[in-house]
Amino acid sequence: MLASSSSVLRRQHFLVRSLCLGGYGNRKRLHDIRSMAFDTEAENILREITPPLDPSKYKGQAGKVAIVGGCREYTGAPYFAAISALKIGADLSHVFCTKDAAPVIKSYSPELIVHPILEESYNIRDEEKEQISGKVLAEIDKWLERFDCLVVGPGLGRDPFLLGCVGQIMSHARQRNVPIVVDGDGLFLITDNPDLVIGYHLAVLTPNINEYKRLVKKVLNCEAKDQDAHQELQLLAKQIGSVTIMRKGKSDLISDGDIVKSVSQYGSPRRCGGQGDILSGSVAVFVSWARQHSSATGMDSTSQMNPTVMGCMAGSVLLRKAASLAFASKRRSTLTGDIIELLGRSLEEISPAC
Ligand SMILES: NC(=O)C1=CN([C@@H]2O[C@H](COP(=O)(O)OP(=O)(O)OC[C@H]3O[C@@H](n4cnc5c(N)ncnc54)[C@H](O)[C@@H]3O)[C@@H](O)[C@H]2O)[C@@H](O)CC1
Ligand SMILES: Nc1ncnc2c1ncn2[C@@H]1O[C@H](COP(=O)(O)OP(=O)(O)OP(=O)(O)O)[C@@H](O)[C@H]1O
Ligand SMILES: [Mg+2]
């Protein structure tokens, strides 16, 4: 509905209909035109859901997000996710990480609010575990309701005690209807415990190729395939029940079990680590904005796209644009930080602030 107002898209739909009548040689062109139409739609959605910079607004209204992640090994991933959320326009970005990781993450940026509350097994004795997990939950419970979206997993690690605590955090967030983007090691957690997200319509899973393969194996009990990727993704989302999944790759495929969308806009040939983390932080912001937009326009849920799908499309198209601008200037030395620096310019080019 958002996109159909665009004359560009109408023309693309006309071309798609015309090519449908063509033969074998037209298939690739048809595919390319469909991809262009989806990319245009993703940009239109981004424009539509991005809130205006209104002087009457107060701090927090443009979004408060929290990342649950960061441990002894990984401090970059939660930082990338949290700072990307701010660079796109969220007002506040929190990180809930282990005690070891907190001073490091704080030292990257004074903009982030960092809570050193998580514990890994190596740091505690068996008899302390119950009391410590109670403390972790009590600490995060004080904050949960204030967040518009939680990102669970960037740089979380796979320590069993820590993952047990994070599973409980997810259950509490779910009880309070806080949207949850599950990425990185959060996907490792839910692949072992799918009940954490089964049936939760505000859960968004953002698997990379490996994480997707593990999810398919667990839920569909088969190997992931490249042919029929759309149908497979749709089936996976349906089988898990109500969740939205974005399968990252050459094209990002997005499905909530009802519809399947893809974003294929050219990004960058550099595959440096951390780009998925930018995406998870960005999706958290866009899902919050899409939900705000949906409730402000008052349209019923049948007449417009699922806000979680809109958030994924907007996040994907923005990351790809920033990655392509970064690559144009930094070429082979492009790093995740270079892409983050271009999120603002990319957003400005798609949806100018004033
Ligand atoms: N600077 C940082 O702190 C970063 C930390 N990260 C964190 O690292 C943890 C593990 O994430 P990973 O993404 O490594 O986990 P994966 O399970 O995706 O990757 C595990 C291994 O598979 C390999 N692999 C990746 N793509 C592949 C492909 N297409 N085909 C075959 N093998 C492939 C990787 O090189 C890696 O060694 C997560 O917590 C994640 O958030 C990453 O986000 C990257 C940046
Ligand atoms: N082969 C590819 N061609 C073009 N873009 C890609 C390709 N693979 C991934 N991407 C882009 O990079 C983004 C991050 O995906 P990726 O698979 O690198 O995530 P990830 O492995 O979780 O990253 P991270 O290192 O942050 O954990 C995706 O949104 C996608 O747009
Ligand atoms: Mg990742």
Side-chain angles (χ1 to χ4, degrees):
M1 193 204 62
L2 290 166
S4 61
S5 59
S6 141
S7 59
V8 177
L9 203 66
R10 273 202 304 274
R11 186 170 148 66
Q12 283 163 351
H13 284 157
F14 169 75
L15 285 169
V16 168
R17 278 198 305 275
S18 315
L19 280 170
C20 280
L21 304 171
Y24 194 72
N26 277 331
R27 289 243 178 86
K28 185 170 175 333
R29 269 198 296 158
L30 177 61
H31 174 267
D32 290 349
I33 290 168
R34 275 210 176 115
S35 300
M36 271 171 56
F38 275 142
D39 294 348
T40 309
E41 187 182 19
E43 288 199 357
N44 283 341
I45 285 171
L46 188 155
R47 266 189 284 277
E48 188 78 21
I49 64 177
T50 299
L53 289 172
D54 177 346
S56 68
K57 283 189 175 161
Y58 54 84
K59 182 179 69 181
Q61 285 187 304
K64 302 179 287 290
V65 303
I67 317 298
V68 180
C71 64
R72 198 158 53 158
E73 285 91 353
Y74 308 121
T75 55
Y79 165 76
F80 292 144
I83 202 77
S84 298
L86 287 178
K87 293 270 182 184
I88 288 170
D91 288 333
L92 293 164
S93 190
H94 292 241
V95 177
F96 293 86
C97 59
T98 67
K99 295 201 161 113
D100 298 338
V104 182
I105 299 171
K106 283 175 197 276
S107 76
Y108 296 152
S109 168
E111 317 283 351
L112 306 178
I113 301 164
V114 184
H115 307 257
I117 64 162
L118 301 177
E119 292 276 12
E120 291 182 83
S121 308
Y122 71 84
N123 228 5
I124 51 175
R125 294 193 304 271
D126 279 351
E127 59 272 24
E128 293 175 318
K129 284 184 173 166
E130 207 178 309
Q131 182 226 344
I132 288 177
S133 70
K135 238 173 95 183
V136 169
L137 272 175
E139 194 57 41
I140 201 159
D141 270 347
K142 291 195 276 193
W143 292 92
L144 266 183
E145 267 166 24
R146 305 184 204 179
F147 297 132
D148 300 299
C149 191
L150 218 56
V151 182
V152 172
L156 192 58
R158 294 180 186 176
D159 179 79
F161 172 72
L162 179 141
L163 290 183
C165 288
V166 172
Q168 293 183 62
I169 292 172
M170 287 178 73
S171 302
H172 283 215
R174 185 173 173 169
Q175 281 158 20
R176 289 162 179 76
N177 275 322
V178 179
I180 310 175
V181 177
V182 188
D183 186 40
D185 298 314
L187 290 162
F188 179 81
L189 169 63
I190 66 115
T191 301
D192 268 355
N193 306 273
D195 283 348
L196 288 170
V197 289
I198 284 177
Y200 188 39
H201 72 291
L202 295 175
V204 178
L205 319 183
T206 56
N208 66 17
I209 184 153
N210 292 329
E211 293 152 352
Y212 182 77
K213 282 179 184 165
R214 289 193 285 263
L215 210 49
V216 167
K217 186 143 203 143
K218 173 78 181 196
V219 177
L220 300 182
N221 204 17
C222 63
E223 299 299 325
K225 294 185 294 295
D226 276 338
Q227 333 78 292
D228 306 327
H230 284 64
Q231 288 92 324
E232 183 182 80
L233 180 67
Q234 189 171 14
L235 182 64
L236 182 66
K238 223 187 245 303
Q239 192 82 5
I240 297 179
S242 304
V243 302
T244 295
I245 306 177
M246 169 154 58
R247 175 190 172 160
K248 296 178 290 193
K250 190 158 176 273
S251 295
D252 290 334
L253 290 186
I254 299 151
S255 179
D256 60 357
D258 287 334
I259 56 168
V260 183
K261 299 280 179 182
S262 88
V263 178
S264 313
Q265 182 167 310
Y266 182 70
S268 154
R270 277 283 282 137
R271 301 267 62 80
C272 53
Q275 295 180 66
D277 305 319
I278 301 181
L279 190 63
S280 63
S282 311
V283 167
V285 177
F286 286 121
V287 165
S288 312
W289 288 352
R291 293 185 75 220
Q292 271 181 13
H293 179 267
S294 299
S295 53
T297 50
M299 280 187 267
D300 69 82
S301 56
T302 50
S303 64
Q304 68 172 358
M305 202 187 283
N306 187 341
T308 51
V309 173
M310 292 201 267
C312 289
M313 292 177 76
S316 172
V317 82
L318 182 70
L319 168 63
R320 281 164 178 264
K321 188 167 179 63
S324 100
L325 290 176
F327 184 74
S329 97
K330 296 288 171 91
R331 312 294 291 173
R332 199 181 283 273
S333 79
T334 305
L335 295 180
T336 297
D338 301 317
I339 302 174
I340 290 172
E341 282 315 306
L342 286 160
L343 286 171
R345 186 176 138 198
S346 306
L347 187 56
E348 192 61 21
E349 285 182 12
I350 303 174
S351 176
C354 300

